[in-house]
Amino acid sequence: MQMTPNEAVDWNAHLQTPVIFNHHEPLVINESTIKHVDLNPIKSTHKAAANEERVLILTPLRDAASYLPKYFDLLSELSYPHHLIDLGFLVGDSKDDTLAVLSAELARIQKTSDTLSDPFNSVLIVEKDFGIVTAQSVEERHGYAAQGPRRKNMARARNYLLSAALKSDHSWVYWRDVDIVDSPKKIIEDFTAHNRDILVPSMCTAV
């Protein structure tokens, strides 16, 4: 059965050809000195590991050679996926073999064939001396008189390290001391589960 012209018009009335109006062409910036970074896709959530959120672990070092083997033993035991973790170190004003021991320990844990744990995604070592001459004994470091200059120098070292190591795809920054002797394997998961901008653990020793 053939349709009349009017019937054909009525039949095809709902089949309109789409028309797209583009009043503004995209603005193309072709200049090598201009860089654009979109941080909107970067999220920090309480399910960091499941969402594959990148973690940056930062540690300033000074005369820390004796602490590094234990530090890396604990670091290797972290249960957070190692391919999502980047490491950053600042070595400054050291008079011992901190840099040499650090390099050797990093080579040890980053060798996939010689270690039981997976290697970390990347490692950055920054050298920066601040002219610190104060002693490193526990008594002198934690004495009242040393607190002002010590904390000022620590803040400077942390600022340099953070500015050098932080990338646009990091969701979390974990500051970790080199002289810790024990640490939960799931400490990163425990921290991120709180989903807070800043988290400071409270540690006390029972006497």
Side-chain angles (χ1 to χ4, degrees):
M1 182 181 80
Q2 290 188 343
M3 293 186 290
T4 66
N6 288 338
E7 290 174 335
V9 170
D10 291 337
W11 179 261
N12 294 288
H14 66 288
L15 301 176
Q16 298 181 4
T17 301
V19 179
I20 299 176
F21 292 97
N22 183 11
H23 298 288
H24 303 285
E25 294 183 357
L27 178 61
V28 179
I29 304 297
N30 187 19
E31 175 53 60
S32 60
T33 62
I34 300 175
K35 183 177 180 180
H36 171 251
V37 176
D38 185 6
L39 294 178
N40 288 307
I42 304 302
K43 305 296 182 182
S44 301
T45 69
H46 67 284
K47 295 183 178 180
N51 294 330
E52 295 193 334
E53 295 169 12
R54 295 275 302 280
V55 177
L56 175 63
I57 299 179
L58 298 177
T59 305
L61 301 173
R62 178 187 171 213
D63 293 335
S66 61
Y67 300 110
L68 287 169
K70 181 63 175 179
Y71 171 92
F72 281 107
D73 286 343
L74 294 174
L75 205 67
S76 298
E77 295 176 355
L78 291 175
S79 59
Y80 198 87
H82 289 192
H83 71 279
L84 298 175
I85 298 177
D86 298 297
L87 306 179
F89 302 90
L90 185 143
V91 181
D93 299 293
S94 287
K95 296 180 176 60
D96 65 359
D97 282 336
T98 292
L99 185 58
V101 176
L102 172 64
S103 302
E105 288 296 319
L106 285 170
R108 173 175 68 88
I109 67 168
Q110 290 296 89
K111 288 184 179 179
T112 56
S113 60
D114 298 339
T115 182
L116 297 178
S117 66
D118 295 328
F120 295 94
N121 180 66
S122 70
V123 181
L124 175 68
I125 301 175
V126 177
E127 287 191 75
K128 176 63 178 176
D129 294 328
F130 300 97
I132 303 173
V133 295
T134 55
Q136 281 289 82
S137 68
V138 175
E139 293 78 10
E140 291 174 297
R141 278 191 294 126
H142 294 282
Y144 179 79
Q147 292 311 301
R150 176 173 174 265
R151 294 184 181 278
K152 176 182 178 181
N153 290 323
M154 286 174 58
R156 293 175 65 195
R158 288 174 181 266
N159 286 342
Y160 270 92
L161 180 54
L162 182 63
S163 63
L166 185 64
K167 299 296 184 292
S168 59
D169 55 357
H170 288 134
S171 296
W172 302 91
V173 175
Y174 172 24
W175 289 97
R176 188 175 174 100
D177 291 340
V178 68
D179 57 350
I180 60 175
V181 296
D182 195 12
S183 174
K185 298 178 180 180
K186 296 183 63 178
I187 190 168
I188 296 180
E189 291 92 329
D190 293 341
F191 281 165
T192 57
H194 292 280
N195 199 22
R196 293 290 186 268
D197 290 339
I198 299 176
L199 191 67
V200 180
S202 177
M203 299 179 3
C204 58
T205 303
V207 179

